[in-house]
Amino acid sequence: MKILVTGGAGYIGSFAAKRLIGDGHMVIVFDNLERGHRESIVPQAKFIKGDLRSVSDVENLFSIDSFDAIMHFAGYISVEESSRNPDLYYENNVVGSKNLFDIAVGLGKVNKIIFSSTAAVYGNPVEIPIPEDHPKNPVSPYGKTKLETEEYLITLNKSNPSVGFVSLRYFNASGAALDGSMGEDHDPETHIIPLAIKSLISGSEFNLYGTDYDTSDGTCIRDYIHVIDLVEAHIIALKELDKNSKASFYNVGTGKGVSNKEVIDMIEEVSGKKLKINKENRRSGDADRLIADPSKINKELNFRPKYSDLKTIVESAWKWHTKQI
């Protein structure tokens, strides 16, 4: 297949592009390099620099090529940043996505879309683990932009039934290539594992937000999915869309929760170093527990994570970050 990967210079998009190339697909990466990295783009992919917020950039993209499918990773991802600058997130995550979908479908250039969504569409959970039909009450502008994009895809599918999509709601993407050759490099970085590892490497203090949660050790609990497993979910979804044009939503997680303290303990075990911890108050809106119910993707797509145990996640991340020194 000929696959368009938006955001293919970013963390998950670069892993997906490499896997698609390895599977024999032709890959075109579309990225503005604002937060992605040119060196992260797999060399065998064709790279087109452009911005989804620019109608002319997107029109030029589709005037050149047609695609069998789009994997849409291009989006801002920080809950905290989205609260400070909601307009920025709306323009990039919603307007950019609408430009992409409208032009691609309007020109008849694609009929399969896989969308990078998030568990943030659920908001504070009323049910744990969280199923796909859980109420959608996002508490951050980030979560709201992803939910609005999902709703737009539903509308698009209803008016164009031949256009199928799968929206994958990530829980906590994490880890790196098992050999440490690729990894997570966000700016700004907001994720606990890279932040803690960078603090260890630099000898600086690590800010731990919240030790008074209603959990066994007082720190919040999250569901971590290794980036390699996350990409596998996209590959399986692509195969499913190739057989059956439909509109589907799936959680991508393990169904198991890990506390922040357990994450820190594992990082210290893998590194052999002790982290300097600065305990801060919990952040507004952070839930005690966010754990996926992955039974739908397990059953319907036969998806089973292979690398998402905490030790493998941390070991791979440690290899990546120590290679960057």
Side-chain angles (χ1 to χ4, degrees), residues 132 168 233 250-253 293-304:
E132 284 83 356
L168 296 175
Y250 295 104
N251 290 332
V252 189
D293 178 353
S295 57
K296 183 181 178 187
I297 195 170
N298 295 162
K299 181 180 178 181
E300 294 186 8
L301 300 187
N302 196 30
F303 171 71
R304 298 289 188 279

Side-chain angles (χ1 to χ4, degrees), residues 18-19 39 53 71 91 148 181 210 220 261 265 294 302:
K18 182 175 182 180
R19 171 63 190 274
E39 62 271 20
R53 292 167 291 193
M71 288 192 181
E91 285 294 319
E148 186 167 340
S181 60
C220 62
K261 185 178 185 305
D265 289 347
N302 196 30

Side-chain angles (χ1 to χ4, degrees), residues 97-114:
S97 296
K98 287 181 177 180
N99 288 343
L100 173 67
F101 302 149
D102 284 348
I103 294 169
V105 173
L107 294 175
K109 297 287 188 172
V110 72
N111 62 3
K112 291 182 280 291
I113 299 168
I114 299 175

Side-chain angles (χ1 to χ4, degrees), residues 7 17 30 40 42 52 54 56 98 108 125 132 181 187 191 194 227 250 254 261 276 292 303:
F30 186 81
S40 296
V42 59
L52 293 177
S54 166
S56 61
K98 287 181 177 180
E132 284 83 356
S181 60
D187 185 17
H191 296 161
V227 63
Y250 295 104
T254 65
K261 185 178 185 305
K276 300 174 186 176
F303 171 71

Side-chain angles (χ1 to χ4, degrees), residues 43 91 120 185 205 215 250 261 309:
E91 285 294 319
D185 189 14
E205 282 191 339
T215 61
Y250 295 104
K261 185 178 185 305
D309 61 282

